Amino acid sequence: VEIPGMQEIPLNPAVRKYEVRLEPPSLEDTTPDLGRLLEGIERQGGPPPNRVYAPLGVLCSLPQVLRRSGWHVTATVALVPGGYRLSSVDEGDTTGRLYGAAVDLGTTTIVAYIRSLVDGRILATASNYNRQISCGEDILSRVNFSRRSGLARLQQLAAESINEALTTAADAAGIDREEILEVMIAGNTVMTHLLLGIDPAYMIAEPYIPVVRRMLSTAAGRIGIAAHTNAGVYTFPAVSNFIGGDIIADILAAGMAEREEATLMVDIGTNFEAVLGNSDWMLSCAGAAGPALEGGEVLFGMRANPGAIERVRIDPDTLAPSVSTINGLRPRGICGSGLIDLLAELFRACVIDRTGGINLELDHPRIRKGQYYPEYVVAWKEETSIGKEIVITENDIKSLIMSKAAIHAACMTLLDAAGLAPGDISRVCFSGAFGNYLNKENAVTIGLIPEIPPECIENIGNGAITGANIALVDRRRRKELDGLARRITYIELNADPSFMDRYTSSCFLPHTDIALFPHVQQTLEACRAKQGVRSWQA
Amino acid sequence: MTEKSDERMAIREVRLGATQAEGGTREVSCVIGGERSLPFSERTPGRLLVALEICDDPRFWPPVVRDYVGDLANNTDEWARAAERTYGADLVRLNFTSTKQRGFNAFDAIAATTEAVLAATARPLIVEGSNEPELDSEVFRRCGEAGEGERLLLGTAEADRYRSVAAAALAYGHAVIAQSPIDVNLAKQLNILLRETGVPQDRIVIDPYTGALGYGFEYTYSVMERIRLAALSGDADLAMPMISAPTDTLSVREVREAAPADREAMAVAWEFYTAYAAFVAGASIVCVRHPLTVERLKKALEV
Amino acid sequence: MAMKALDIYKHLPKTNCKRCGYPTCLAFAMKLAIGKADIEACPDLDPDTKTLLGGVTRPLVRLVEVGAGERSIAVGEEFVLFRHEKTFYHPPGIMVQVSDAWSEDEVRSVVETVKETVVHRVGQDLVLNGVAVKYESNRPDRFAEAVALSGGGSSLPLALIADDPAAFEAALAAAGQYRPLVHAATEENWEALTALAKRYGCPLAVRAAGPAELAVLAVKCAEAGVPDLVLDPAPLSLSDFIATATEIRRAAVGRTEPALGYPLYLDAGAFGETDAALAAGILKYAGIIVTLPLSPASRGAALTLRQNIYTDPQKPIQVMPGIYPINEPGPAAPVLLTVNFSLTYFTLLGYLEASRIPCYLFIADTEGLSVLTAVAGGKLTETLVADSLKKFGVAELVDHRFLVIPGYAAPLSGKIEDATGWKVLVGPRDAADLPGYLEKEWKA
Ligand code: B12
Ligand code: SF4
């Protein structure tokens, strides 16, 4: 099966269909319908009857289905924890129609893939907003909403959001939602609790205790998921309340547990998670980077939507910027990747010093004392589509630096805990939407991640949905997920006194310990030399 | 940290004050720094200096000192002369507390006071410039210009306020005090910023900010030890001598609320213990405000 | 040599069975690597792995107890050369010296002062720890009387300072069973003094010039059956003490000279600069400091310095919660709520002092977390604000009931009003805008 960003993996789903032609019962052969069917399945290579559990709903319709079809049926048998489940029985031969869904249950957006579990092909994908947004922008506010007797509402909204994506994808794939017989859902710990209606209240205050962190499975009908009512719904296991199923899915997508050399994976959002490890050991941590890297808290920051400046270069001599926006529209604001380019370019052009302070002694129309903070004009009024100038202020720059510092400090905490130096990592993976448009060179220039050659920096995109796909089509990898989650050692950054040391030393471009960024230092000295004395003097 | 002392880097030497021969009017100039090992383990005389702080507007000065110096507080140059001649200070640190007044613009007075204090003193001078970011460039230019050639120690540069004091130091040949809020990394960052604005590294003195005894002093003490250790193990951006000024020591509760008869003794004891501990942590200069503390510190340093 | 976490991990069973109290073997390995876990905690290790990973578990600096009963002092058992590397554990015992040549009243008044002195700071009671009786009368019976006058060791720990075994014979007869410190065994008298110390089971100070001789003498005394030793390096000057004490402590924690693994002794009166010596002793590894009688001011400052230096630096850098008056505020001055994260305190202090606006900085205990972190982490709550208002008696300081809270704590404004009954004004998010805000908005 072809998984984006992964080498081919074997199609080995946990649910299979068996076409069975049965001898009708007679006075000599008075085996009950279920037994007869299960023996037929066993003859087709299926599991032994005594290991198969049949839900009541299937038994209720079994007698008519067997007789109407002339004892020629297709049984769907799913491998479930502790045995097998007879999920459905169809008349005639439906072995060609066996579908599964992989779902990324994100805090803000839901993504669903529908695949055929017969040949593994992707049939359709869909994505839509998580309707829970109406109950709160972020995790914190939603858990507070659930504490005010809103848990059932949030559970319902989670299911509805998933169903919306499943419906859109099923229609596009030309299949009926009832034909989806397995759903693999990757979501962070709070989202998983909310989807299953489990109270997450004790996860947002010390000591941050989730109710469960194992992989859980239930029937779709039980939690209102619009697939076949007996379809198995599996949620990813978690490490802690901060390292949820989405991160385990990221690890699966990055193939970290299958490599000897150490990989560092970072999932950047308002909250970030980082994992370092290989097949033998794995360390993880999570913390708050702040929304600045995604455009939040920044005067003209915005999400990566059309009209957002996503790439910036600044001419070191004229200090004039050249920008490109998403869909090439006139700029409305600056998104995460644009902000990182801006930070790196302003730094190279010596417009800002290493703490992000704008050098007001530079005599240049784009550099001025703004209303509250010094600022650099990125786009003049007539160039923008919002009828006013787009600027980046010193305060924005400092927020960006504080956010990148939290992430870099977390990465260094993992490296120090493992006793490794930045040079010992063979690969850095960005996961999450953040990594898609990111300029890797600039990410290193501002010290967002430890210095590593750009070709060793990969972007696995939405690792959560990729991991969900992998677990959907390969039951061996799915079975190993619980063991993987249990093996990961979580480092509580708040309890690590030296974290603040690393954080403060990372509040500098690229870093206070310049020796950690030799390549960046060389290119900087080259820029400064090229610019002659101008910036040096002022 | 390698033990072999020869391998260790030395703390940079910073020259303060200029004698006639060196283009200034001081009777004596000083050199601080140059150590190759932990404080008090090598005996080079004249490298640990006690400064007495004075100001040009006593309204913003601790009452316990105002009571002691009396009228001296009202003429800065006399106060400066007494600091050296009567109280035995190695250095005088002149604070322009007048800049704290709202709407301050007496820039000419800044130059005049600097010149008057220079005329009244024979030893190197530390000048603590304005308290207000907006006034920085003008105040530093004036006192920098008035002290040209005297190799003053100009304070204070901070991470988001260093360009004016750096410019004045560069233009008029002075050294700079670089202050950071009790953090090794922030201290190093400011030194890098100053270096990248052109300030030579042998004209930077680190002020790690001194919390008062009982109110966070232990954080200062450990940061100073870490700075000294980093410098000795080769970190060039931290290999500068340090200055410590426990300025809010005389406004702590123990001094404020002491019975009038004990207040002076409490003030001197609180300043003495903080200042002496700062020397043990690696300070080359410690600034105190009560005249009686000066003599006691100098005697303690000879033992 | 310190093994790295991953090296240690290789030797562990990797079953993640949690019996060691850690979620995974790697978590246990990481704590072992920084000396914060005990190898014995893992039941599944064979003996050789245990010795390999355990290393020397003998404390680097021996714990020595002086005196008996409630006010006994335990010094030593230290692990680092600099407090920032981990922390210092056992603050030095400060003992005030009396002479047996003094009058009874003089001795009694010192003993009384030592017993009564208590300085309350940050929830702790800081005390002087004992009395040192110096033999100057050349009459052993007089020495014994002075020892008895000093409580005989039953109430306050004692140090006996002499070099003539006969004097010690007499003094120990009176106070021997209360573990007084016998100062000091030298190259000349160590046989006699070790015999005495061994007979009474009390700690013995060993005195010799410099680390090398001290090590030799210490070994002799230990082998003579006196395990609890304290080292007096007989410094020529205070600087000499600082340098030598550092060398001795480095040798002990660096394991280069185990024979120096004992607490240190300093006579603070030896150089005529008692305050400086007290400070030097507190800062540089002294376990027992004998001092001349101190003024109240010196006492307060010395005990505070000892408290500061022996606090654990690993806790997040916090400032003391409470009310901080800035620019001499009166009853009409504004009350500004903030957190006790030091970075926040210093940031705010800078702007407020520069603003010259009289105000009260009301610092709640958020265990060192910044405003946003404390709000998000559930540490800054309306209950904390309400309790802290009462605890710090804010209502008595001002005649208004307005509380200015940080902009980033805006979500809590309603709850804080309900919980405290004060009117809440939401200040700006950034401290830089606070002075301007107060000038405009604050009309008490
Ligand atoms: C470093 C950091 C941490 C460190 C802790 C550092 C510390 N001691 O607080 C660590 C890693 C431990 C941490 C943990 C967490 N953090 Co955090 N953290 C930060 C970070 C990057 C910097 C915080 C900082 O140093 N601020 C600097 C100080 C000076 O700011 P301050 O205290 O707010 O003070 C300023 C203003 O508030 C104002 N002010 C202060 N007092 C007053 C008083 C008055 C009257 C007025 C008018 C103004 C005023 O002036 C000051 C200077 O401007 C911020 C992001 C950011 N850009 O701020 C996130 C941030 C604060 N953290 C956040 C979060 C969510 C958390 C966690 C809950 C994350 C998690 N899931 O674990 C945990 C909570 C831990 C816990 N157990 O409680 C969020 C909060 C978001 C929100 N919705 O509130 C932030 C904003 C990041 C983000 N946007 O997601 N964090
Ligand atoms: S007790 Fe031993 S085997 Fe079990 S988790 Fe701890 S270190 Fe691993």
Side-chain angles (χ1 to χ4, degrees):
Chain A
V1 171
E2 179 259 320
I3 301 279
M6 279 272 289
Q7 77 297 19
E8 304 270 316
I9 61 169
L11 176 62
N12 173 21
V15 59
R16 289 219 162 79
K17 281 198 166 181
Y18 299 90
E19 186 194 1
V20 178
R21 292 179 191 282
L22 300 173
E23 283 305 314
S26 62
L27 284 178
E28 297 76 25
D29 172 5
T30 57
T31 317
D33 292 346
L34 179 61
R36 183 182 306 282
L37 172 62
L38 294 182
E39 283 155 13
I41 294 170
E42 188 177 25
R43 279 195 301 277
Q44 294 299 323
N50 57 12
R51 300 280 316 283
V52 182
Y53 146 78
L56 188 57
V58 171
L59 293 180
C60 296
S61 56
L62 187 58
Q64 292 76 11
V65 167
L66 286 175
R67 287 163 181 82
R68 269 206 311 270
S69 67
W71 302 88
H72 170 217
V73 292
T74 304
T76 312
V77 179
L79 173 68
V80 290
Y84 294 86
R85 178 198 296 129
L86 179 63
S87 299
S88 74
V89 183
D90 310 331
E91 297 176 27
D93 174 10
T94 62
T95 48
R97 300 180 69 78
L98 174 60
Y99 307 103
V103 175
D104 164 20
L105 176 58
T107 313
T108 324
T109 50
I110 310 281
V111 179
Y113 275 59
I114 288 190
R115 277 182 185 272
S116 153
L117 294 181
V118 175
D119 58 19
R121 270 185 312 106
I122 301 173
L123 300 183
T125 72
S127 98
N128 45 271
Y129 276 105
N130 183 331
R131 295 185 183 176
Q132 290 182 339
I133 290 179
S134 60
C135 308
E137 256 298 301
D138 55 38
I139 296 270
L140 208 56
S141 35
R142 276 181 224 176
V143 175
N144 285 330
F145 181 88
S146 90
R147 279 163 51 173
R148 298 191 295 274
S149 63
L151 183 53
R153 177 91 184 98
L154 283 166
Q155 194 285 323
Q156 187 196 349
L157 287 172
E160 278 171 18
S161 311
I162 294 177
N163 292 345
E164 180 185 339
L166 289 183
T167 312
T168 321
D171 296 348
I175 68 164
D176 187 325
R177 281 184 328 202
E178 289 291 315
E179 297 177 291
I180 301 174
L181 277 148
E182 195 146 276
V183 183
M184 198 68 217
I185 301 179
N188 65 45
T189 322
V190 168
M191 294 315 299
T192 308
H193 274 57
L194 291 177
L195 173 65
L196 299 170
I198 303 174
D199 182 2
Y202 302 100
M203 288 190 350
I204 57 158
E206 248 183 48
Y208 309 106
I209 301 304
V211 175
V212 61
R213 61 178 193 158
R214 251 188 255 156
M215 167 181 282
L216 295 171
S217 79
T218 181
R222 287 271 311 274
I223 53 168
I225 295 292
H228 187 286
T229 182
N230 294 330
V233 171
Y234 297 86
T235 57
F236 269 71
V239 174
S240 72
N241 109 321
F242 297 121
I243 301 284
D246 50 350
I247 302 309
I248 301 298
D250 285 340
I251 294 170
L252 200 56
M256 284 177 71
E258 280 125 33
R259 289 162 170 263
E260 272 303 303
E261 323 80 22
T263 302
L264 171 66
M265 195 219 16
V266 191
D267 187 328
I268 295 178
T270 301
N271 286 335
F272 65 85
E273 293 83 16
V275 185
L276 173 71
N278 59 17
S279 46
D280 183 23
W281 55 270
M282 238 175 240
L283 292 166
S284 67
C285 67
L293 288 172
E294 290 178 316
E297 262 176 34
V298 170
L299 207 54
F300 287 93
M302 58 182 283
R303 286 186 181 280
N305 293 329
I309 296 176
E310 60 175 346
R311 259 189 301 284
V312 179
R313 288 200 55 69
I314 294 181
D315 178 316
D317 300 323
T318 66
L319 299 189
S322 51
V323 302
S324 63
T325 60
I326 297 180
N327 299 4
L329 303 177
R330 284 157 67 90
R332 279 197 306 119
I334 319 169
C335 67
S337 59
L339 289 170
I340 291 198
D341 282 2
L342 204 46
L343 199 54
E345 288 288 291
L346 288 172
F347 178 41
R348 282 196 199 95
C350 295
V351 174
I352 57 174
D353 65 23
R354 288 175 187 268
T355 60
I358 293 181
N359 182 4
L360 285 174
E361 285 163 16
L362 287 175
D363 180 16
H364 193 283
R366 285 180 183 271
I367 298 167
R368 61 192 190 198
K369 207 166 179 356
Q371 194 188 2
Y372 293 107
Y373 306 101
E375 58 192 22
Y376 169 86
V377 181
V378 182
W380 299 108
K381 187 166 162 217
E382 46 296 349
E383 294 167 332
T384 74
S385 62
I386 51 170
K388 54 180 176 173
E389 292 158 342
I390 294 180
V391 299
I392 184 159
T393 73
E394 197 171 87
N395 194 45
D396 295 338
I397 293 171
K398 299 221 168 184
S399 294
L400 284 166
I401 291 178
M402 275 170 89
S403 295
K404 78 95 184 173
I407 291 169
H408 182 268
C411 295
M412 293 308 286
T413 301
L414 294 182
L415 285 169
D416 287 353
L420 298 177
D424 301 332
I425 339 172
S426 63
R427 198 167 66 116
V428 170
C429 290
F430 281 114
S431 76
F434 187 81
N436 297 352
Y437 320 97
L438 184 68
N439 174 315
K440 295 167 182 154
E441 185 77 23
N442 286 344
V444 173
T445 301
I446 66 169
L448 172 63
I449 47 169
E451 180 165 287
I452 181 170
E455 62 275 11
C456 301
I457 303 175
E458 287 174 36
N459 171 42
I460 56 171
N462 184 341
I465 192 65
T466 306
N469 272 284
I470 295 171
L472 177 66
V473 297
D474 180 0
R475 71 182 193 199
R476 182 186 59 78
R477 281 190 166 88
R478 179 193 309 181
K479 203 150 80 51
E480 287 160 3
L481 288 180
D482 263 327
L484 172 62
R486 249 202 323 282
R487 191 157 51 84
I488 297 174
T489 300
Y490 178 71
I491 296 179
E492 175 54 69
L493 292 179
N494 311 334
D496 180 346
S498 49
F499 174 79
M500 273 313 293
D501 244 1
R502 294 190 199 95
Y503 167 71
T504 325
S505 62
S506 190
C507 285
F508 208 60
L509 296 176
H511 194 268
T512 305
D513 182 356
I514 296 176
L516 286 175
F517 290 81
H519 174 64
V520 171
Q521 187 56 17
Q522 274 153 15
T523 32
L524 259 177
E525 268 143 20
C527 293
R528 290 226 166 105
K530 201 148 50 57
Q531 283 158 33
V533 203
R534 182 178 58 74
S535 65
W536 196 264
Q537 205 53 16
Chain B
M1 191 186 74
T2 49
E3 290 330 300
K4 291 184 292 308
S5 61
D6 42 38
E7 234 183 71
R8 280 203 210 151
M9 279 259 298
I11 308 296
R12 260 184 219 89
E13 290 188 332
V14 176
R15 303 192 62 75
L16 299 176
T19 56
Q20 227 107 22
E22 296 159 332
T25 60
R26 306 297 86 198
E27 275 165 25
V28 64
S29 63
C30 305
V31 175
I32 53 173
E35 296 87 357
R36 283 186 175 284
S37 57
L38 291 175
F40 288 80
S41 42
E42 45 188 291
R43 298 298 300 262
T44 15
R47 294 287 168 114
L48 300 182
L49 303 173
V50 180
L52 182 60
E53 298 205 82
I54 63 173
C55 67
D56 71 339
D57 181 343
R59 261 179 306 160
F60 304 99
W61 213 242
V64 68
V65 176
R66 284 207 304 262
D67 298 348
Y68 186 83
V69 295
D71 192 39
L72 271 182
N74 299 326
N75 39 71
T76 317
D77 50 355
E78 284 315 313
W79 196 356
R81 178 176 291 115
E84 287 185 353
R85 301 254 164 69
T86 320
Y87 306 129
D90 298 320
L91 305 166
V92 169
R93 172 158 156 163
L94 168 62
N95 289 268
F96 282 112
T97 43
S98 56
T99 61
K100 285 189 170 186
Q101 285 155 18
R102 204 163 295 174
F104 171 85
N105 57 17
F107 295 109
D108 300 342
I110 297 287
T113 307
T114 309
E115 274 145 20
V117 169
L118 279 170
T121 51
R123 303 179 61 84
L125 181 64
I126 308 175
V127 177
E128 186 53 40
S130 97
N131 205 261
E132 277 303 304
E134 303 85 43
L135 304 174
D136 271 0
S137 56
E138 193 48 28
V139 167
F140 285 124
R141 195 173 62 72
R142 286 309 191 81
C143 54
E145 191 180 31
E148 183 157 23
E150 295 285 2
R151 239 200 317 262
L152 305 176
L153 178 52
L154 264 187
T156 286
E158 292 168 34
D160 45 16
R161 242 180 97 185
Y162 62 91
R163 291 187 190 277
S164 318
V165 65
L170 279 172
Y172 304 111
H174 302 305
V176 177
I177 296 178
Q179 184 184 81
S180 43
I182 313 185
D183 184 299
V184 188
N185 298 302
L186 297 180
K188 181 173 179 179
Q189 288 175 15
L190 181 53
N191 291 344
I192 295 173
L193 294 178
L194 287 170
R195 168 162 56 88
E196 296 193 333
T197 352
V199 178
Q201 292 201 295
D202 63 359
R203 277 161 57 185
I204 296 175
V205 178
I206 299 173
D207 174 357
Y209 190 85
T210 304
L213 182 64
Y215 296 86
F217 172 73
E218 67 273 22
Y219 296 112
T220 301
Y221 178 79
S222 284
V223 163
M224 289 176 78
E225 284 198 313
R226 288 178 65 183
I227 289 175
R228 179 59 157 260
L229 285 167
L232 293 177
S233 48
D235 191 332
D237 285 318
L238 283 170
M240 290 87 172
M242 288 186 273
I243 182 170
S244 162
T247 43
D248 41 18
T249 301
L250 297 187
S251 48
V252 297
R253 185 171 46 79
E254 282 79 0
V255 176
R256 278 205 318 270
E257 290 168 4
D262 310 334
R263 196 145 55 106
E264 187 172 275
M266 191 57 92
V268 173
W270 223 259
E271 237 187 5
F272 177 86
Y273 273 84
T274 312
Y276 186 78
F279 277 122
V280 173
S284 296
I285 304 173
V286 179
C287 310
V288 293
R289 294 191 171 190
H290 199 292
L292 290 179
T293 316
V294 177
E295 211 39 52
R296 291 201 42 200
L297 271 176
K298 284 172 66 84
K299 281 205 355 277
L301 291 175
E302 283 142 19
V303 163
Chain C
M1 43 76 209
M3 279 175 79
K4 286 205 190 123
L6 283 184
D7 305 334
I8 298 174
Y9 178 65
K10 290 195 183 65
H11 299 286
L12 295 179
K14 300 201 182 91
T15 56
N16 300 332
C17 71
K18 297 194 179 56
R19 278 170 294 157
C20 58
Y22 293 93
T24 62
C25 297
L26 183 55
F28 182 59
M30 279 163 29
K31 284 290 187 238
L32 275 175
I34 51 174
K36 284 206 171 132
D38 174 5
I39 189 66
E40 296 306 332
C42 173
D44 298 348
L45 290 175
D46 54 70
D48 349 337
T49 322
K50 257 188 196 156
T51 30
L52 174 70
L53 299 182
V56 166
T57 47
R58 190 180 55 77
L60 308 167
V61 177
R62 184 179 178 82
L63 186 70
V64 172
E65 226 191 300
V66 175
E70 193 204 328
R71 291 194 64 160
S72 70
I73 9 174
V75 288
E77 207 171 64
E78 297 290 345
F79 299 89
V80 289
L81 192 56
F82 301 104
R83 62 187 292 276
H84 63 260
E85 291 170 322
K86 196 172 184 190
T87 191
F88 287 162
Y89 286 95
H90 295 94
I94 298 177
M95 310 181 84
V96 184
Q97 182 176 294
V98 296
S99 160
D100 70 346
W102 288 3
S103 72
E104 265 191 36
D105 297 345
E106 280 172 305
V107 172
R108 250 202 212 91
S109 82
V110 168
V111 174
E112 219 41 54
T113 323
V114 172
K115 250 193 221 145
E116 300 314 322
T117 301
V118 178
V119 174
H120 304 288
R121 280 201 102 262
V122 189
Q124 284 183 337
D125 289 342
L126 312 179
V127 292
L128 295 171
N129 304 95
V131 174
V133 187
K134 189 160 191 185
Y135 176 59
E136 289 179 330
S137 66
N138 265 330
R139 292 191 17 234
D141 54 348
R142 193 86 204 235
F143 190 43
E145 274 160 34
V147 165
L149 254 174
S150 310
S154 58
S155 56
L156 286 172
L158 290 184
L160 310 176
I161 303 177
D163 45 26
D164 170 2
F168 282 113
E169 197 83 49
L172 285 170
Q177 76 272 31
Y178 294 112
R179 296 184 57 81
L181 174 65
V182 172
H183 179 282
T186 59
E187 196 50 50
E188 294 73 33
N189 67 12
W190 67 274
E191 280 110 342
L193 259 60
T194 43
L196 273 170
K198 191 174 166 198
R199 186 170 359 130
Y200 286 94
C202 52
L204 176 64
V206 177
R207 181 176 165 83
E213 283 169 48
L214 261 180
V216 167
L217 194 50
V219 167
K220 283 193 211 161
C221 295
E223 278 162 4
V226 182
D228 294 334
L229 300 177
V230 169
L231 306 178
D232 176 354
L236 308 170
S237 69
L238 199 44
S239 313
D240 180 31
F241 168 76
I242 292 173
T244 313
T246 305
E247 199 184 324
I248 292 174
R249 174 57 55 89
R250 175 181 283 133
V253 295
R255 292 198 175 89
T256 48
E257 179 46 276
L260 292 174
Y262 295 102
L264 291 169
Y265 173 97
L266 171 65
D267 173 3
F271 316 107
E273 278 297 328
T274 304
D275 284 314
L278 247 175
I282 291 168
L283 296 171
K284 289 297 162 183
Y285 317 116
I288 297 291
I289 306 175
V290 169
T291 174
L292 300 177
L294 298 168
S295 70
S298 292
R299 248 193 339 252
L303 292 178
T304 303
L305 179 64
R306 182 178 67 178
Q307 179 187 40
N308 284 176
I309 294 298
Y310 279 81
T311 45
D312 179 352
Q314 303 291 7
K315 291 200 195 67
I317 296 190
Q318 312 178 22
V319 291
M320 267 208 313
I323 282 287
Y324 288 67
I326 296 174
N327 300 330
E328 278 96 25
V335 176
L336 312 174
L337 169 71
T338 190
V339 294
N340 74 328
F341 176 37
S342 72
L343 187 59
T344 310
Y345 170 73
F346 282 116
T347 316
L348 271 174
L349 194 63
Y351 289 112
L352 289 174
E353 276 179 348
S355 75
R356 293 182 306 290
I357 298 167
C359 56
Y360 287 102
L361 199 49
F362 164 39
I363 298 192
D365 184 356
T366 58
E367 292 161 29
L369 293 181
S370 75
V371 172
L372 268 171
T373 313
V375 170
K379 282 278 178 353
L380 183 60
T381 61
E382 62 279 8
T383 13
L384 174 69
V385 176
D387 299 346
S388 307
L389 272 177
K390 286 194 207 67
K391 190 171 150 207
F392 302 139
V394 184
E396 288 94 49
L397 294 171
V398 286
D399 51 22
H400 61 79
R401 290 297 173 268
F402 292 95
L403 181 62
V404 181
I405 68 170
Y408 284 124
L412 301 175
S413 57
K415 291 201 202 101
I416 293 178
E417 277 191 348
D418 303 342
T420 62
W422 286 49
K423 181 80 181 67
V424 168
L425 305 174
V426 178
R429 305 182 103 185
D430 203 328
D433 316 327
L434 184 49
Y437 168 85
L438 287 178
E439 264 150 23
K440 260 204 313 318
E441 304 296 328
W442 184 256
K443 299 174 197 54

